[in-house]
Amino acid sequence: MTDINNKPPTDDEIRQAIELLFFAYRDFVADPDKVLADYESPKGSLGRAHHRVIHFVGRNPGMTVAELLSILQITKQSLARVLRQLIDEGFIEQERGPEDARQRLLYLTAKGEAFETALSNPQRVRFRRLFEKAGPEASRSFLTLLFELINEDERDQVLSLIGGKQQTSL
Amino acid sequence: MTDINNKPPTDDEIRQAIELLFFAYRDFVADPDKVLADYESPKGSLGRAHHRVIHFVGRNPGMTVAELLSILQITKQSLARVLRQLIDEGFIEQERGPEDARQRLLYLTAKGEAFETALSNPQRVRFRRLFEKAGPEASRSFLTLLFELINEDERDQVLSLIGGKQQTSL
DNA sequence: TAAACTAAGTCAACATGACTGACATAAATA
DNA sequence: TATTTATGTCAGTCATGTTGACTTAGTTTA
């Protein structure tokens, strides 16, 4: 709330923040990891990379491969293997771009939607409990700080991606 | 601050939290990744795994291998390669446990300390700026929520590790 | 229209950091 | 003394990232 204040952050708080972020993220991703490990696919198993693709395609139906690459910040060769598996196993469908026929627009299938729900469910439960306990004010403040932890030059892209600004004072 | 409130978190806030945590962590680890990529070691390059080991040994001088394993939650075989490199290149020293001679107590060398500083510096700068902008109240609240994002059964271990409770209302 | 650029896909080789399973050694403990 | 514990090691595998080179098809531009 205050932009300038007389109490600068202590080295201890900063160090704790670094470590807490590590542990929080570790547990946060361990949830879907379990779901992924349980899923037995015909052509090889699925990992975090597949989860990320399913998540972002689910959130942005009809996105292009190039858009997905810029979000994930990996090479197209890395994405290719993951995407191929997801298409072959019926989680994701491709469609020719109506404007630009070179583009391949990505969509989740019904199977993909169901898997997305199963994957994100434990994460949603985790945050729901957290926010219920913390209350709306602390929750919104938490989102704001997470947002400001992101590189300044990437915030616009993230903002348009997650669709903030209206409901959430980001 | 409020434990029970009439405004439950919206699905949108929860989804945003999931995505923001992903992006924030991505940028947060990209900083030391650059430092690691720049470092040219004689016997192979260093990665995130080395960073984590250096960080926790730096924070807990004299810790045992078993303690390190329980923090990192990886297998000893995974740790072995990383630890061997760090010892061979003079970042970490081992010492026989004075009580239990089977134990190998881990310490950073002067070289290890210097590297730890270089690695964590961009992360500290990132959080310092964030906390300066957000103010002490939002900063402490942020730490609390990060802490409560951690699995309940691991919070005690984390707390004793990061040394909260006195200064920080965790 | 021909040339250049762009979106996407593919092949190959490689690095990192995880994993499992089996086994070895030395020290502590029952 | 026998067993358990702390650590280390060998060998093989897998998931996920990388670079570099190249193809195909469609769009844009000179």
Side-chain angles (χ1 to χ4, degrees):
Chain A
M1 296 293 144
T2 34
D3 256 25
I4 288 168
N5 61 87
N6 42 10
K7 271 192 192 173
T10 66
D11 286 353
D12 231 57
E13 282 170 329
I14 288 168
R15 183 188 45 70
Q16 288 179 340
I18 292 172
E19 300 195 346
L20 285 173
L21 185 54
F22 168 76
F23 288 115
Y25 192 80
R26 184 190 65 175
D27 289 351
F28 170 73
V29 294
D31 286 340
D33 278 358
K34 277 175 218 143
V35 180
L36 289 160
D38 287 350
Y39 178 80
E40 277 297 322
S41 86
K43 331 195 175 182
S45 61
L46 307 177
R48 276 182 206 183
H50 304 83
H51 178 201
R52 288 198 286 267
V53 170
I54 285 176
H55 175 91
F56 286 109
V57 172
R59 277 283 300 144
N60 306 277
M63 78 191 308
T64 65
V65 172
E67 281 164 357
L68 186 52
L69 283 173
S70 103
I71 290 173
L72 297 176
Q73 295 190 353
I74 57 175
T75 58
K76 65 175 173 175
Q77 295 94 326
S78 291
L79 177 58
R81 193 178 5 183
V82 170
L83 197 52
R84 185 104 312 276
Q85 270 180 282
L86 291 173
I87 291 166
D88 287 351
E89 299 191 25
F91 291 107
I92 286 182
E93 287 178 324
Q94 287 180 313
E95 206 174 85
R96 286 184 144 240
E99 315 278 285
D100 187 334
R102 291 171 303 180
Q103 297 179 330
R104 298 285 173 271
L105 309 189
L106 303 171
Y107 298 90
L108 290 188
T109 61
K111 183 181 174 186
E113 297 271 9
F115 199 51
E116 195 285 323
T117 303
L119 283 167
S120 62
N121 189 55
Q123 295 187 328
R124 286 197 307 270
V125 168
R126 187 181 288 266
F127 269 115
R128 178 166 295 115
R129 284 187 188 146
L130 179 73
F131 287 166
E132 275 167 4
K133 191 182 172 204
E137 200 185 327
S139 301
R140 276 200 311 274
S141 161
F142 183 73
L143 291 183
T144 303
L145 265 71
L146 271 188
F147 179 68
E148 285 168 354
L149 211 44
I150 296 168
N151 286 345
E152 213 162 349
D153 57 350
E154 281 159 11
R155 290 184 198 162
D156 280 351
Q157 198 204 359
V158 169
L159 203 57
S160 71
L161 205 70
I162 69 172
K165 228 155 201 172
Q166 328 81 297
Q167 312 95 325
T168 62
S169 73
L170 287 183
Chain B
M1 296 295 140
T2 34
D3 256 25
I4 288 168
N5 60 86
N6 42 10
K7 270 192 192 173
T10 65
D11 286 353
D12 231 58
E13 282 170 329
I14 289 168
R15 184 188 45 71
Q16 288 179 340
I18 291 172
E19 301 195 345
L20 286 174
L21 185 54
F22 168 76
F23 288 115
Y25 193 80
R26 184 190 66 176
D27 290 351
F28 171 72
V29 296
D31 285 340
D33 277 358
K34 277 173 218 143
V35 179
L36 289 160
D38 286 351
Y39 177 80
E40 277 297 321
S41 86
K43 330 194 175 183
S45 60
L46 306 178
R48 277 182 205 185
H50 304 83
H51 178 203
R52 288 197 285 267
V53 170
I54 285 176
H55 175 91
F56 286 110
V57 172
R59 276 282 301 145
N60 306 277
M63 77 190 309
T64 65
V65 172
E67 281 164 357
L68 186 52
L69 283 173
S70 103
I71 290 173
L72 298 175
Q73 295 189 353
I74 58 174
T75 58
K76 65 174 173 175
Q77 295 94 325
S78 293
L79 177 59
R81 194 181 6 183
V82 170
L83 197 52
R84 185 104 311 275
Q85 267 180 284
L86 291 173
I87 291 166
D88 286 352
E89 298 191 26
F91 291 107
I92 286 182
E93 287 178 325
Q94 286 181 314
E95 205 175 85
R96 284 182 146 242
E99 315 276 288
D100 187 332
R102 290 171 304 178
Q103 296 179 332
R104 298 286 173 271
L105 309 189
L106 303 172
Y107 298 90
L108 290 188
T109 62
K111 182 181 174 187
E113 296 272 8
F115 199 50
E116 195 285 322
T117 303
L119 283 167
S120 63
N121 188 55
Q123 294 186 329
R124 286 197 308 270
V125 168
R126 188 181 287 267
F127 269 115
R128 178 166 295 116
R129 283 188 188 146
L130 179 72
F131 287 167
E132 275 167 3
K133 191 182 172 203
E137 200 184 328
S139 302
R140 277 202 310 276
S141 162
F142 182 73
L143 291 182
T144 303
L145 266 70
L146 271 188
F147 179 69
E148 285 169 354
L149 211 44
I150 297 168
N151 286 346
E152 215 162 348
D153 57 350
E154 280 159 11
R155 289 183 199 163
D156 280 351
Q157 198 206 357
V158 169
L159 203 57
S160 69
L161 205 70
I162 69 172
K165 226 155 202 171
Q166 328 80 296
Q167 311 95 325
T168 62
S169 75
L170 288 183

